[in-house]
Amino acid sequence: VAAENVTLNNVLPGMFHTAAVQDQFTATALRNGTSYEVEVDRFVEAFQIPARRFGEPRDVGSLVAWLCSEHASYITGQSIVVDGGATRSTFEQVRSGVEDLQADLAEAADQTGDQARETYRDLLAKAEDLRRQADAATGQAEAEARGAWESV
């Protein structure tokens, strides 16, 4: 569809102040003897939302409006998470794993003999796990793009 000047993207919102969320958290606040704001703060803390708040409808609305504009005409086949940073992508997890592996390698540099060989085998296994995670993430991204394409 891109060849026909049609873009197709997914917007994946996290927690936003909406009427449904207002009803749900107000009901919880009534049960707990608190307020809507206190319950939102508890949720934000429990789910470790880095932005430390729920989104406002304009946060996602602005993105959707931009995606529909000529300014985003070259963006297609993307899944864009709008959740205040709460979602850690698989690629981010792989990057973190690579950093851990690098730290393990630096530590292993001081080892000798059997200890070094055992550490080397462990590091090879970790590297293989990271490769599998990266392959899975790539496959998932490709499947999402194919699914979006086929739904058109």
Side-chain angles (χ1 to χ4, degrees):
V1 292
E4 301 299 322
N5 226 12
V6 175
T7 61
L8 180 66
N9 297 289
N10 298 306
V11 175
L12 309 169
M15 292 300 290
F16 281 80
H17 292 291
T18 63
V21 168
Q22 179 83 31
D23 291 346
Q24 178 185 356
F25 280 77
T26 298
T28 301
L30 288 173
R31 282 194 307 277
N32 293 338
T34 61
S35 67
Y36 172 81
E37 291 77 14
V38 167
E39 294 305 323
V40 167
D41 289 345
R42 286 179 179 172
F43 186 94
V44 166
E45 182 68 29
F47 285 86
Q48 300 177 346
I49 300 173
R52 300 179 190 247
R53 65 180 181 86
F54 281 7
E56 297 294 334
R58 70 178 173 274
D59 294 328
V60 75
S62 297
L63 171 66
V64 171
W66 181 77
L67 285 170
C68 293
S69 77
E70 64 184 45
H71 302 291
S73 65
Y74 200 62
I75 297 175
T76 192
Q78 301 304 304
S79 293
I80 303 170
V81 179
V82 185
D83 67 357
T87 301
R88 284 195 54 187
S89 72
T90 303
F91 293 111
E92 191 174 326
Q93 292 170 9
V94 170
R95 188 193 73 222
S96 175
V98 168
E99 290 169 355
D100 291 346
L101 189 58
Q102 289 170 333
D104 291 344
L105 282 169
E107 191 176 301
D110 294 332
Q111 298 175 348
T112 59
D114 290 339
Q115 186 181 26
R117 281 187 285 281
E118 184 176 330
T119 299
Y120 177 73
R121 283 191 295 273
D122 290 345
L123 293 175
L124 283 178
K126 284 183 180 180
E128 181 60 22
D129 285 344
L130 287 171
R131 186 196 59 76
R132 279 199 286 292
Q133 288 178 22
D135 288 349
T138 300
Q140 179 182 352
E142 289 172 353
E144 287 175 8
R146 268 194 307 279
W149 175 261
E150 290 168 359
S151 69
V152 172

